[in-house]
Structure formats: C-alpha cells, structure tokens
Amino acid sequence: VNVEEKLFQNRYKVDHGRPHIKIRQPDLCRNECKSQSCTYVCPASCYKAEGNGAVTLITDGCLECGSCRIICTELSNVEWEYPRGGHGILFKFG
Ligand code: SF4
C-alpha cells in the first residue's frame, strides 16, 4: 500500500468557514518569500504555488503535522491553531 492509499483511509471533518491555518499576509508570500517551502513540505499538498507568484492555502485534508508553521520561520507568515474539537483529521490506525 502506498502513502496516498494510506492517507485516503483517514477521514476529515471540515470546519466550514473557519480554517485552522491562515496565511497572515498573502503579499509576503508573493513578494518576499523566495523558497515558498510550504508548497512542497506539506504532506497533504495544502499549499499551492500559483503561476503568478502567489501561494494559496486550502486546509481541507491537513494532517496537523505542523511542518508548515515550522518551515515558515523567516517570515512567520503562517497562523496555526489546532482545529476546533470534533473537526479536522480523524486518523485511522492499523
Ligand atoms: Fe500541511 Fe502539515 Fe501544514 Fe497541515 S500542518 S497544512 S499537513 S504542512
């Protein structure tokens, strides 16, 4: 079983209208960040590098690993909280 198939076994409850992660200032991603590391470090591909230099974030499917918060040290442009109780990733073990 590959990683994608394993990830597919997890379920995700979306907290509509209340994403638990936000990009503080999207302009910073576009104008100040050269690496845009979040777009390749996220195991769930929540961040996307748009062709025009912008980075977009869709938190559905986030695994709550915290990598994006850690990698964005230079600009600290990631606002990160755990989802509200009952929302977010439901890991299936075994
Ligand atoms: Fe992706 Fe992990 Fe950040 Fe969630 S916490 S958006 S899975 S890098």
Side-chain angles (χ1 to χ4, degrees):
V1 183
N2 63 30
V3 172
E4 280 72 24
E5 285 170 1
K6 285 200 166 173
L7 283 173
F8 192 68
Q9 295 176 351
N10 293 315
R11 283 180 299 146
Y12 193 86
K13 188 148 186 295
V14 176
D15 197 355
H16 291 286
R18 292 190 53 156
H20 66 290
I21 309 173
K22 288 176 196 153
I23 296 174
R24 289 200 171 99
Q25 298 180 57
D27 283 355
L28 278 184
C29 302
R30 189 199 301 263
N31 302 323
E32 307 291 333
C33 184
K34 292 194 173 64
S35 65
Q36 300 194 335
S37 309
C38 55
T39 62
Y40 54 85
V41 79
C42 173
S45 301
C46 293
Y47 294 84
K48 286 217 162 51
E50 306 294 344
N52 58 7
V55 174
T56 52
L57 165 64
I58 294 175
T59 57
D60 300 3
C62 168
L63 302 169
E64 298 167 22
C65 70
S67 303
C68 54
R69 177 170 54 173
I70 290 165
I71 203 114
C72 193
T73 46
E74 219 170 292
L75 297 171
S76 273
N77 205 21
V78 173
E79 189 179 308
W80 203 104
E81 295 171 357
Y82 280 104
R84 287 192 298 163
H87 297 88
I89 189 80
L90 301 165
F91 288 104
K92 179 174 186 267
F93 295 98

